[in-house]
Amino acid sequence: MFLPIRKVFFIAFSLFYFLFFQNHSHAQNAVLRYADKQYYLENYYQAAEAYKKAYNRKSKYGTAVKLAETLDKFGAYDEAYEWWTEVINFPESTRLDYSKYLNAALKVGKWEQIDELLEKGGYTSSDFPELNIDQIRKLSESPSKVNLVPVEVINSDASEIGITFDKGNNILFSSDRGTVGNGKPIPAVRLDAKNDIFSKERSDFNEREFYKIYRKNPKGDLSPVPVDLVDAFHITDPHYFAEKDLIFYTAIVAKTKVKGKKNLVNHAGIYFGKMNGSGKITDSKAFPYNDHLSFGVMNPFVDKSSNRLYFASDMPGGQGGFDIYYSEFDDNLNFSKPVNLGPRINTPHNESHPSIHGGKFYFSSRGHTGFGGIDLFEADYSNGYVDNVQNMGLPFNSTRDDFFFVMAENGNRYLTSDRKGGRGLDDIYTFEELNKFLKVIVEDCNGETITEYEALLVDNLGNPVSTTLNKDGYLIAELEPESDYILNLEKQGYFKISQSNLTTIGLEGDTLMRKYTMAAIPFKSKLFADNIYYDFDKSDIRDSEKSTLDNIGKLLMENPHTILFVNSHTDSRGSNAYNDALSERRAQAVYQYLQDKGIASDRIKLEWFGEENLVNNCTDGVPCAEINHQLNRRSELVLSAFVDEDMSYELPEVVDNPCDLLLRQDVPSFDSAREVIAEDLDSKTSTEELPTIYFDFDRSDLRAIHQKELDEVFQQMKNNASLRLTVEGHTDQRGNEVYNEYLSERRAKAVVDYLIHRGIAAERIDYAYFGKTRPIHDCDTQNCSRDQHQENRRTTLRWNNNSP
């Protein structure tokens, strides 16, 4: 029986169609199985190519998702974004797909379009808490004042990762420079976790050259660093441990055949060895917790302060992905069982590249809130404890991969990044400070550094600026360029320092250096002492005494750190009760006079003593001349500075050198006080102008007028126990030498006895006598007037050289 030709043709065509598409489906599935295997082995380049091939044969949602995820793993973020865009156009796409689409958009720098992309999908930022969009926006608003600068001497069009310096100041880094398998630019390896070794020339991860360590010496010569490991492929992450003169590094050592195992997976491990004179790493030893066929161990960093090796690993028991661990070691490099840093640092995603510098722990992460890709983070580090993780922000991080942050011994900072604008795939960058820095050292008057004090630094708007006082006593702060600042420094018992002339405007270099002297406050210093006198039974201020009070008022007005102590007295005439009341009225008269001059009441301290403190022997019932009674009718005025030891004082404006006040405490006279405190006052008396005591002819008793002057000397010596006085007696030239020598001695002793009687210790007064041997006017060679003879009959006073 024969079938019609048309029916035969139809059956043949149907059979061909069935066989063709069945074969096509089998081929499609084979490609996907191959792609899935390569993805599992982290051979992402082969996986991506296979997924593309499968998708081109048949556009399926699942294939597009796998391809986008592979490209993300691969670090091909631009292409990944294109494929996530493709994914969300499938009707079966999910919210999770849209989250990954938005994340991919952020990685390619589409921050400005993020609201538009959210609106496009009918979402808001709150619908994707896992992306922390608002938090990253906030981070991006306050970038650090640094500029990233490529390290051009080592970057190439390939990938350069990590940097360390050995004892010869050679730069060590890793690179996959060399030819690429198919000539196309392909992203570099991120995490050398595992590889199924198909080629001994290039990585199956990305078809690029295997990583090697390179060394660049100070002369600029560049050479690869051979290692003595057999079948080692990727050699990366160099870290120099100076104390042991060792190079720690990461390596993948190929295992191609193991009995009983198929589809071998090779993971990274940590090794360390010595670098010999020819630049080869020798005597390499494996970290005892490597397991190349089970999990990866990589990114070594030695913290010498804690004898810990920090590293990243995906060993079982972690938080997920690669976590950061440490292993403690002894002097013989015996390592303890690794300890996971826990969930404060580690996330279900990958953490890597730990390093420690200056109390900070640095690491890279895909799991903490970041700008996209891998971000850099810092945490507080103290006594081996890590806490308070913070994203390092811009420009340390970008929307691309930023990792491997290290700090050299000289303070230079480095990171690795594949951010746009680089020369190659991954480039190494260092930092150029845009900010300026303030560095302050504070010394006392002996030149010793003061290491503890309070500091307040504010900008010209009054905003506080963070400062750090380090263990060496340096105050450090970051300053904005072209800006002004005010600095206040305080320490209990010291003068405050206030500086309003701190500016970075026109500053050459990056550091503003300042050195200040903080002087101890000379509490309760006596700056001035004088007496005013009263008429009998009166308390009103004589016109002749008003100039003294006027000068004191001016000192008080100009120097708010001073206090006036007023001690008022009477002579012995009258009852004790009456004299107590009279001395109080005299004190109140001084108080009222100065209040009328604008002096605040709390700056005048009054005491009154009636007739208790006479300056001479004119007690009850003792006949005395009126002039001697007059010496007892007085108010003693003592101007003191810095009397409250609980207060903080600013340095008086007229004092250029605060240490002068320490050297001149208890200034003994009005003029010295004026010299230190207020130089515009008229002169009254000074330590160089002590009174000269004159005597009547052939007499040695003190005139009343001079007793008042000696009372002022007494007051100075009372207020300053360091003062010593020298008294010298003289006569005129009439009479013989023996008699005049005896008379000059009596005149010197009259002054000494008066001061001793008033209460000055005898050992504080020296005296000498010279008779007629030292006249002011030589009356033996000329006829002298009465006044010239009077000037020769004298006793002079001067401060001893041991006095200040």
Side-chain angles (χ1 to χ4, degrees):
M1 178 173 135
F2 295 97
L3 295 174
I5 292 176
R6 180 179 297 174
K7 191 169 185 179
V8 170
F9 176 79
F10 176 77
I11 293 172
F13 179 79
S14 297
L15 181 62
F16 170 79
Y17 185 85
F18 172 76
L19 293 173
F20 175 81
F21 280 98
Q22 186 178 42
N23 289 337
H24 181 81
S25 178
H26 280 302
Q28 173 83 350
N29 290 336
V31 173
L32 286 173
R33 284 195 301 273
Y34 172 78
D36 289 343
K37 177 183 177 182
Q38 298 309 310
Y39 183 91
Y40 167 74
L41 295 174
E42 296 186 6
N43 296 326
Y44 294 129
Y45 178 74
Q46 287 88 350
E49 293 299 308
Y51 284 132
K52 287 179 187 177
K53 186 176 181 180
Y55 189 85
N56 290 334
R57 287 183 176 181
K58 189 167 186 179
S59 302
K60 284 188 175 183
Y61 162 74
T63 306
V65 170
K66 288 181 177 179
L67 177 54
E69 288 178 339
T70 302
L71 292 167
D72 248 340
K73 293 281 189 181
F74 194 50
Y77 296 132
D78 290 309
E79 200 173 356
Y81 172 69
E82 294 175 7
W83 281 99
W84 282 117
T85 304
E86 189 80 11
V87 168
I88 64 170
N89 287 325
F90 281 90
E92 59 263 54
S93 66
T94 65
R95 190 205 73 87
L96 179 60
D97 294 327
Y98 211 87
S99 175
K100 293 180 178 179
Y101 161 70
L102 292 173
N103 193 34
L106 298 179
K107 290 178 182 177
V108 295
K110 294 186 178 296
W111 270 102
E112 294 182 1
Q113 296 101 308
I114 196 65
D115 290 327
E116 179 183 333
L117 298 178
L118 284 164
E119 185 179 350
K120 169 184 169 183
Y123 295 106
T124 64
S125 60
S126 61
D127 293 318
F128 301 98
E130 69 274 16
L131 296 180
N132 292 292
I133 292 173
D134 294 332
Q135 184 178 347
I136 295 301
R137 273 181 176 152
K138 187 175 180 180
L139 272 174
S140 66
E141 291 171 358
S142 53
S144 297
K145 300 299 190 296
V146 296
N147 184 38
L148 260 67
V149 179
V151 184
E152 299 291 359
V153 295
I154 57 177
N155 289 333
S156 71
D157 58 0
S159 174
E160 280 72 41
I161 293 178
I163 191 169
T164 191
F165 295 84
D166 67 14
K167 64 181 179 182
N169 204 31
N170 299 298
I171 301 173
L172 301 176
F173 63 98
S174 52
S175 175
D176 66 350
R177 56 187 63 192
T179 58
V180 180
N182 60 7
K184 296 180 181 179
I186 303 170
V189 175
R190 282 295 168 270
L191 296 171
D192 294 327
K194 54 192 175 185
N195 270 271
D196 184 8
I197 302 297
F198 293 99
S199 167
K200 291 192 176 183
E201 295 178 357
R202 296 182 178 87
S203 168
D204 294 306
F205 184 99
N206 61 354
E207 285 291 301
R208 297 187 60 82
E209 288 282 341
F210 290 113
Y211 277 90
K212 300 180 182 69
I213 296 176
Y214 289 83
R215 180 174 71 163
K216 193 176 190 71
N217 66 26
K219 295 180 179 179
D221 301 324
L222 180 68
S223 59
V225 176
V227 299
D228 58 352
L229 292 181
V230 178
D231 289 332
F233 291 87
H234 284 302
I235 310 292
T236 186
D237 302 339
H239 171 67
Y240 179 63
F241 180 30
E243 279 65 23
K244 295 288 186 180
D245 191 25
L246 292 172
I247 302 291
F248 282 75
Y249 59 94
T250 299
I252 292 180
V253 178
K255 302 288 185 181
T256 57
K257 291 182 180 181
V258 174
K259 187 176 180 180
K261 287 196 175 186
K262 296 180 179 180
N263 298 326
L264 293 182
V265 175
N266 288 269
H267 297 262
I270 289 175
Y271 293 83
F272 54 93
K274 293 274 189 179
M275 183 176 289
N276 64 22
S278 62
K280 179 179 179 180
I281 297 177
T282 62
D283 194 26
S284 290
K285 294 180 175 58
F287 178 54
Y289 295 95
N290 292 342
D291 189 339
H292 286 286
L293 296 180
S294 300
F295 52 80
V297 180
M298 60 185 188
N299 312 143
F301 181 88
V302 177
D303 176 32
K304 59 187 178 183
S305 67
S306 62
N307 273 19
R308 287 180 177 180
L309 172 66
Y310 286 87
F311 59 92
S313 176
D314 61 346
M315 64 178 60
Q319 304 295 318
F322 272 76
D323 284 359
I324 296 177
Y325 292 78
Y326 70 81
S327 173
E328 296 181 339
F329 59 87
D330 59 22
D331 287 341
N332 296 318
L333 294 179
N334 296 307
F335 291 91
S336 69
K337 183 179 178 180
V339 177
N340 189 292
L341 287 189
R344 284 190 177 89
I345 298 295
N346 296 316
T347 70
H349 301 280
N350 290 326
E351 280 70 46
S352 63
H353 300 94
S355 67
I356 297 170
H357 304 283
K360 291 292 183 181
F361 185 91
Y362 301 94
F363 66 102
S364 306
S365 175
R366 287 185 185 273
H368 290 280
T369 299
F371 290 86
I374 306 172
D375 270 24
L376 288 164
F377 295 84
E378 66 178 9
D380 296 332
Y381 179 80
S382 178
N383 298 321
Y385 184 74
V386 183
D387 197 8
N388 189 29
V389 173
Q390 301 289 329
N391 188 294
M392 292 180 69
L394 302 175
F396 298 95
N397 290 312
S398 66
T399 57
R400 308 286 293 193
D401 288 343
D402 307 284
F403 57 104
F404 217 131
F405 180 92
V406 294
M407 189 178 295
E409 288 293 326
N410 62 5
N412 289 341
R413 296 171 289 177
Y414 300 89
L415 64 80
T416 300
S417 177
D418 71 339
R419 64 188 62 199
K420 290 185 176 181
R423 180 178 176 185
L425 303 174
D426 291 306
D427 286 330
I428 298 174
Y429 294 84
T430 187
F431 299 89
E432 178 182 73
E433 295 290 348
L434 298 180
N435 258 357
K436 304 297 182 178
F437 292 91
L438 174 66
K439 190 173 184 180
V440 172
I441 188 71
V442 179
E443 295 180 347
D444 63 18
C445 289
N446 296 319
E448 298 292 330
T449 300
I450 297 176
T451 57
E452 293 182 1
Y453 53 87
E454 298 295 325
L456 175 62
L457 179 67
V458 297
D459 62 20
N460 54 5
L461 298 177
N463 300 313
V465 178
S466 176
T467 60
T468 300
L469 186 60
N470 67 23
K471 63 181 181 180
D472 297 321
Y474 282 99
L475 183 75
I476 307 295
E478 286 192 23
L479 307 179
E480 294 281 347
E482 304 300 308
S483 300
D484 296 320
Y485 295 86
I486 297 173
L487 176 65
N488 291 295
L489 307 176
E490 290 189 34
K491 181 177 175 66
Q492 181 66 32
Y494 287 76
F495 286 113
K496 293 189 293 187
I497 294 175
S498 181
Q499 291 292 319
S500 58
N501 62 342
L502 296 177
T503 182
T504 57
I505 298 173
L507 177 65
E508 295 183 4
D510 61 3
T511 303
L512 179 64
M513 292 288 299
R514 287 291 183 268
K515 181 178 179 180
Y516 300 115
T517 298
M518 186 178 277
I521 299 171
F523 289 112
K524 299 181 180 178
S525 299
K526 305 298 190 299
L527 300 181
F528 167 64
D530 204 353
N531 294 342
I532 62 171
Y533 295 88
Y534 300 85
D535 292 334
F536 175 70
D537 199 24
K538 298 288 186 180
S539 60
D540 51 318
I541 307 298
R542 292 176 178 172
D543 289 341
S544 61
E545 304 291 358
K546 290 180 180 180
S547 62
T548 298
L549 292 179
D550 289 341
N551 285 334
I552 291 176
K554 188 173 183 180
L555 273 176
L556 286 164
M557 290 291 289
E558 293 178 349
N559 299 278
H561 52 278
T562 55
I563 298 289
L564 180 67
F565 293 89
V566 180
N567 297 330
S568 295
H569 309 269
T570 67
D571 61 27
S572 62
R573 293 173 291 184
S575 69
N576 288 339
Y578 182 84
N579 284 335
D580 282 343
L582 178 59
S583 64
E584 180 182 2
R585 292 198 302 274
R586 288 173 176 171
Q588 290 291 343
V590 173
Y591 174 84
Q592 190 59 53
Y593 186 92
L594 292 174
Q595 270 212 314
D596 292 343
K597 297 293 183 180
I599 306 302
S601 59
D602 61 352
R603 298 186 59 206
I604 308 171
K605 307 298 181 183
L606 305 181
E607 286 189 89
W608 49 90
F609 300 91
E611 58 181 278
E612 290 180 19
N613 297 326
L614 303 176
V615 300
N616 50 37
N617 291 324
C618 295
T619 58
D620 290 338
V622 176
C624 283
E626 178 59 28
I627 187 62
N628 292 322
H629 286 301
Q630 172 67 90
L631 293 175
N632 290 323
R633 298 192 302 267
R634 71 200 186 280
S635 284
E636 298 169 343
L637 311 175
V638 177
L639 187 65
S640 295
F642 321 116
V643 297
D644 189 345
E645 296 186 10
D646 293 325
M647 278 189 63
S648 179
Y649 293 95
E650 291 187 2
L651 187 70
E653 292 182 2
V654 296
V655 178
D656 293 328
N657 183 357
C659 298
D660 283 348
L661 292 178
L662 289 178
L663 296 174
R664 305 185 66 173
Q665 291 185 49
D666 301 321
V667 176
S669 72
F670 181 89
D671 230 27
S672 295
R674 176 185 56 79
E675 181 181 338
V676 176
I677 301 296
E679 295 183 354
D680 60 337
L681 294 179
D682 293 331
S683 173
K684 181 171 183 178
T685 184
S686 72
T687 53
E688 290 78 21
E689 297 176 355
L690 286 169
T692 298
I693 309 301
Y694 295 99
F695 296 87
D696 292 335
F697 177 73
D698 199 26
R699 301 289 296 270
S700 61
D701 51 320
L702 294 174
R703 296 173 180 171
I705 186 64
H706 293 315
Q707 292 182 28
K708 180 179 177 181
E709 292 176 333
L710 289 177
D711 283 341
E712 293 178 2
V713 174
F714 157 75
Q715 196 66 52
Q716 294 172 28
M717 296 185 74
K718 176 184 175 183
N719 291 334
N720 187 347
S722 65
L723 289 177
R724 292 179 60 84
L725 187 69
T726 295
V727 178
E728 298 175 343
H730 306 270
T731 67
D732 61 25
Q733 291 171 291
R734 293 173 291 185
N736 64 55
E737 291 182 3
V738 174
Y739 181 79
N740 281 335
E741 183 175 333
Y742 167 68
L743 180 60
S744 66
E745 180 182 8
R746 294 203 320 269
R747 288 173 176 173
K749 289 197 68 176
V751 171
V752 172
D753 291 344
Y754 185 87
L755 292 173
I756 291 174
H757 175 74
R758 292 284 277 118
I760 302 300
E763 58 267 20
R764 295 179 61 195
I765 308 174
D766 298 322
Y767 73 96
Y769 42 94
F770 301 95
K772 61 178 183 179
T773 60
R774 297 185 179 182
I776 294 175
H777 305 285
D778 187 356
C779 296
D780 287 341
T781 60
Q782 63 175 333
N783 292 323
C784 287
S785 67
R786 181 179 177 181
D787 290 340
Q788 288 174 319
H789 285 300
Q790 174 65 91
E791 289 179 8
N792 286 336
R793 294 192 305 270
R794 71 200 188 279
T795 291
T796 59
L797 288 71
R798 60 180 173 83
W799 298 118
N800 190 292
N801 289 336
N802 293 326
S803 299

